[in-house]
């Protein structure tokens, strides 16, 4: 799942209320010295530490006590935070031509790159951009599909997409949600022009180049690196795609799912066809039931919400990590209150950038939630590991690492681990793993090309390679190229289908999710090797391995103080990402898919 969590700097920057009227450099750039730069950084750090604490507390209160008043207070602090960081980012630009120490230069770059959407320094244009962003956000948030007097929210439509197997009903819902995005198109076009102007003022070619510059390598080299990694995963994805398409052809008829063409996008159990786990029942292997249900095991052993959290914490302490502070248990939200509205989306927080760690979940007593808790605590232990770093570096090595750490830990929630903690009496035979691997691949492997293409589209929009007249055409070309998925009905430039995905009108960079899906398997493989695992990697759990815990912590405590390549090397021994760990993990599934796909027409 996608998890939101609090970071000290970049993840708190929400560029939804930009105001640059106060932006002025503190002195003439020709006269500044390194001493000036150090004074500026020290003063900025104090400001950020104070704002971090206030904005985190306001956001926590709003998330746990949703009222008009708490929303207003949270919005006020966020506006102040954004205004300050916009000002600091532009002031940092005055030191661009100055030769600084490596550490000072890195801190300056962190300040400049903290912004997601840099506004122009012109106050009128800045205000215009803020209005556009707010309007786009409102369009998506209020979006509904109405037929007559009956309207469906996105949540209701998402639920139907997951459960319905009626071709026409799925098509109707798919088409209906995309009506919401049509009016976004001219606003998005104008936003691109304005934010590109802001990026150029900060010294970047365009907004996309600015986003790619966050990754400790030349912007264009980073794009090339992503394609290299995708090339490693593509054979496994192609095999999964072939099998899923064949099963969908059996279900709906090959007239509706031609076996030599991309898969119609509305049949994969998800509004955006980004994960396919909801159609597991359609594509599941025969006799793949592992013989146990974690939800039933939790009930059998009297696990309540607190026991589940304590059990997940024990995973980390078994690896040598210090226990969570007592305040974690007294201040976190574990169950949905009966007397008020709260945000139930699972998230991990560090409110004071030190030890005030918390999670916010409306925990359900299910096997899936047990894994999610392990995931969330992965964020918390990462947050605590880097809390001695300067505020500029109190974040993950790159934005993919944080999600990857949480998912890495969740990969260790294996049948062997469940037996070791007393939930499972006997580990099933390995032949029963195909179903578990298939279910995981439908979510994790199927997601990878989507995780790549969202920003591929935006980068090309920002640099002008995709013109406004081709927004929708280019979107579907990328969906077909990377995912082998097509629109189920004719789409035109009157549509704006990218806007139907929250992260586009919400302006949330998406490459982090692609990276997280690659890195989690690489981290898992490295930790398993350190722990001395000799069995199948998909059966490995690093529970109880102090050696794995020590190496993991060495990477976590670096935060973003060094290039992510060095952090990666600390754990894996290499500075280059390697997606072959995914192939190793899913090797038994690949063998199964190869057998199933014999005689089938694969590709599109």
């Amino acid at each position: 799942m996608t998890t939101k969590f609090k970071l000290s700097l970049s993840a708190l920057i929400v560029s939804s209320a930009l105001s640059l009227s106060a932006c002025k450099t503190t002195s003439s750039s020709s006269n500044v010295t390194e001493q000036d730069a150090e004074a500026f950084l020290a003063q900025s750090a104090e400001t950020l530490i104070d704002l971090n604490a206030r904005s985190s507390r306001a956001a926590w209160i709003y998330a746990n006590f949703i009222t008009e008043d708490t929303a207003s207070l949270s919005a006020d602090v966020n506006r102040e935070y954004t205004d300050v960081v916009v000002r600091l980012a532009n002031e940092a630009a005055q030191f661009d031509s100055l030769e600084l120490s490596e550490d000072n230069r890195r801190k300056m770059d962190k300040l400049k790159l903290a912004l997601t959407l840099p506004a122009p320094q012109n106050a009128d244009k800045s205000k215009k951009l803020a209005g556009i962003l707010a309007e786009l956000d409102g369009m998506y948030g209020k979006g509904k599909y109405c037929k007559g007097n009956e309207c469906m929210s996105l949540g209701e439509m998402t639920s139907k997409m997951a459960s319905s197997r009626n071709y026409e009903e799925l098509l109707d819902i798919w088409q209906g949600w995309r009506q919401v995005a049509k009016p976004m198109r001219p606003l998005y076009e104008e936003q691109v022009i304005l934010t590109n102007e802001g990026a150029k003022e900060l010294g970047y070619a365009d907004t996309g180049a600015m986003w790619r510059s966050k990754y400790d390598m030349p912007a264009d080299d980073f794009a090339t690196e992503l394609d290299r990694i995708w090339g490693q995963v593509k054979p496994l994805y192609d095999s999964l795609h072939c099998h899923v398409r064949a099963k969908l052809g059996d279900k709906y008829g090959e007239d509706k799912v031609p076996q030599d063409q991309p898969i119609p996008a509305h049949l994969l159990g998800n509004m955006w066809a980004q994960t396919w786990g909801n159609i597991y029942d359609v594509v599941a292997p025969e006799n793949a039931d592992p013989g146990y249900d974690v939800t039933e095991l939790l009930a059998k052993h009297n696990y309540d919400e607190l026991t589940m959290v304590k059990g997940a914490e024990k995973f980390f302490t078994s690896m040598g990590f210090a226990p969570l502070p007592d305040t974690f248990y007294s201040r976190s939200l574990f169950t949905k209150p009966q007397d008020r509205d709260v945000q139930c989306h699972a998230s991990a927080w560090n409110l004071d950038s030190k030890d005030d760690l918390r999670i916010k979940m409306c925990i359900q007593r299910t096997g899936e939630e047990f894994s999610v808790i392990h995931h969330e605590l992965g964020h918390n232990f990462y947050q605590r590991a880097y809390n001695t770093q300067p505020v500029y570096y109190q974040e993950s090595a790159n934005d993919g690492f944080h999600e990857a750490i949480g998912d890495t830990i969740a990969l260790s929630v294996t049948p062997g681990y469940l037996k070791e903690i007393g939930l499972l009496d006997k580990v099933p035979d390995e032949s029963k793993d195909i179903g578990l691997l298939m279910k995981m691949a439908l979510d994790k492997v199927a997601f990878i090309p989507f995780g790549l293409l969202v920003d591929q589209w935006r980068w090309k929009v920002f640099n002008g390679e995709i013109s406004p007249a081709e927004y929708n055409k280019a979107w579907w070309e990328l969906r077909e190229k990377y995912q082998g998925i097509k629109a189920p009905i004719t789409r035109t430039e009157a549509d704006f289908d990218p806007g139907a995905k929250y992260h586009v009108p919400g302006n949330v960079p998406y490459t982090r999710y692609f990276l997280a899906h690659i890195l989690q398997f690489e981290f898992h493989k490295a930790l398993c090797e350190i722990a001395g695992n000799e069995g199948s990697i998909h059966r490995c759990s690093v529970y109880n391995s102090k050696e794995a815990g020590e190496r993991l912590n060495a990477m976590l405590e670096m935060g973003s103080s060094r290039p992510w390549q060095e952090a990666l090397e600390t754990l894996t021994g290499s500075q280059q990402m390697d997606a072959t760990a995914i192939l190793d993990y899913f090797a038994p599934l690949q063998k199964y898919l190869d057998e199933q796909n014999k005689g089938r027409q694969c590709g599109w």
Side-chain angles (χ1 to χ4, degrees), residues 260-563:
D260 59 351
Q261 293 179 29
I263 299 171
H266 65 308
L267 300 179
L268 290 157
N270 176 272
M271 182 62 81
W272 307 276
Q274 66 185 57
T275 55
W276 308 347
N278 289 324
I279 61 163
Y280 176 74
D281 61 301
V282 177
V283 305
E286 292 182 18
N287 304 315
D289 183 355
Y292 68 90
D293 183 302
V294 179
T295 302
E296 293 176 2
L297 293 174
L298 291 169
K300 177 183 175 183
H301 290 85
N302 298 314
Y303 269 60
D304 60 16
E305 296 84 358
L306 185 59
T307 317
M308 291 167 72
V309 177
K310 293 262 187 193
E313 181 193 16
K314 189 178 176 185
F315 185 100
F316 292 89
T317 56
S318 83
M319 297 177 71
F321 288 91
L324 292 165
D326 292 342
T327 53
F328 171 83
Y329 287 98
S330 63
R331 297 173 181 174
S332 288
L333 179 78
F334 299 137
T335 57
K336 189 178 189 306
Q338 299 301 309
D339 61 342
R340 65 181 192 268
D341 291 328
V342 300
Q343 291 177 359
C344 277
H345 183 86
S347 54
W349 301 59
N350 185 357
L351 271 75
D352 64 357
S353 300
K354 294 299 176 190
D355 292 310
D356 193 353
L357 303 163
R358 309 179 190 182
I359 63 170
K360 176 185 60 59
M361 286 182 68
C362 302
I363 297 173
Q364 307 294 312
R365 299 180 190 183
T366 67
E368 182 181 358
E369 293 277 276
F370 193 46
S371 285
V372 170
I373 295 167
H374 284 73
H375 173 103
E376 295 304 333
L377 293 194
H379 291 310
N380 283 142
F381 280 93
Y382 201 166
Q383 289 162 337
R384 186 170 67 179
Y386 57 56
N387 70 13
T388 58
Q389 293 285 352
V391 65
Y392 301 102
Y393 302 146
Q394 289 184 9
E395 57 184 8
S396 56
N398 69 36
D399 56 6
F401 273 59
H402 236 300
E403 286 297 326
I405 292 301
D407 281 341
T408 298
I409 300 306
L411 289 176
S412 273
V413 183
T414 61
Y417 167 64
L418 297 174
K419 181 178 184 298
E420 196 157 356
I421 63 174
L423 277 177
L424 193 60
D425 295 328
K426 181 183 176 184
V427 177
D429 181 78
E430 203 160 335
S431 63
K432 293 291 188 181
D433 292 350
I434 294 300
L436 296 172
L437 289 170
M438 174 71 81
K439 192 173 290 188
M440 185 179 288
L442 288 170
D443 283 333
K444 292 187 180 286
V445 177
F447 175 83
I448 290 171
F450 186 80
L452 182 63
L453 71 86
V454 174
D455 280 353
Q456 294 275 1
W457 180 83
R458 280 193 288 203
W459 296 344
K460 292 174 188 291
V461 167
F462 284 131
N463 71 14
E465 190 175 331
I466 295 174
S467 71
E470 297 179 319
Y471 276 176
N472 225 48
K473 175 173 174 284
W475 174 254
W476 284 107
E477 285 175 350
L478 287 168
R479 306 266 337 238
E480 289 198 21
K481 174 185 175 181
Y482 286 104
Q483 284 187 285
I485 285 172
K486 66 179 180 180
I489 51 174
T490 301
R491 310 305 284 164
T492 71
E493 293 306 324
D495 300 302
F496 185 58
D497 293 332
K501 176 64 182 169
Y502 167 75
H503 297 70
V504 174
N507 291 289
V508 179
Y510 212 72
T511 301
R512 64 187 64 170
Y513 304 113
F514 171 83
L515 294 173
H517 279 68
I518 301 299
L519 288 167
Q520 64 185 265
F521 291 98
E522 191 171 0
F523 291 163
H524 179 67
K525 181 180 180 181
L527 289 170
C528 288
E529 289 172 353
I530 294 163
N533 174 68
E534 295 179 354
S536 301
I537 187 170
H538 70 275
R539 285 210 152 198
C540 164
S541 177
V542 295
Y543 180 71
N544 262 338
S545 174
K546 300 293 192 295
E547 296 81 7
E550 186 177 348
R551 280 281 289 279
L552 177 60
N553 189 60
M555 181 180 78
L556 301 185
E557 65 186 8
M558 294 170 70
S560 64
S561 63
R562 300 295 302 159

Side-chain angles (χ1 to χ4, degrees), residues 124-136:
D124 290 338
K125 290 181 178 179
S126 165
K127 186 177 180 181
K128 177 70 173 174
L129 178 59
I132 290 172
L133 297 178
E135 193 170 352
L136 285 171

Side-chain angles (χ1 to χ4, degrees), residues 34 71 159 187 240 248 253 269 420 572:
E34 178 136 19
S159 180
L187 292 169
L240 182 67
L248 289 172
E420 196 157 356
T572 68

